[in-house]
Amino acid sequence: LVMAMLAPPAGGNRWGEPADIAAALSWDRFLAGTDPMVKPYLHWACHASAFSAVVPGPVQSELSAARRAAGLRNLRWSAELRQILAKFRNESIPLVVVKGAVLQRSVYPDPSIRRMSDIDLCVKGKDIARVYRALADLGFAVRVTREGPTPFAGVAVNHAWARSQRS
């Protein structure tokens, strides 16, 4: 069902007819086995496709709750990104925003269907000390050490930041 809901609407659905798929499905297993990252998109998909008529109300409600939670979480990430962008602009630190924050605004039909769990920024290595100071000024703290794991060859450090817990 997930693959059928994610399939583009044009050109027919190679996964089968929505009613046939739904009839052979355990909705409890569907909800339990579906990755939470996908649920917001599935909510949008079941309203933008033939699945709206076959997905039971309680299932649509759970998908809706996941989408609403993703939308609220994304608002927080967007606010933090605006703070970071303003700080970097004021400090003349060049950066490129990549992955989720860009994709949710450029690829997805609605930002609330692309759940984000972080903000990915690319900065120049020569600016890293200034980046550390700027992020620390905003209340972020490093979550991994400089000796921490690297994501792939050629990357010196996996810089992961988290907002500090303040009282």
Side-chain angles (χ1 to χ4, degrees), residues 4-23:
M5 290 176 77
L6 297 177
N13 193 334
R14 71 181 191 143
W15 303 101
E17 290 300 317
D20 295 338
I21 297 170

Side-chain angles (χ1 to χ4, degrees), residues 36 38-40 43 61-71 112 115:
V38 179
K39 286 181 177 180
H43 179 260
S61 293
E62 184 166 330
L63 297 176
S64 174
R67 183 175 177 183
R68 191 170 33 262
S112 70
R115 191 174 130 188

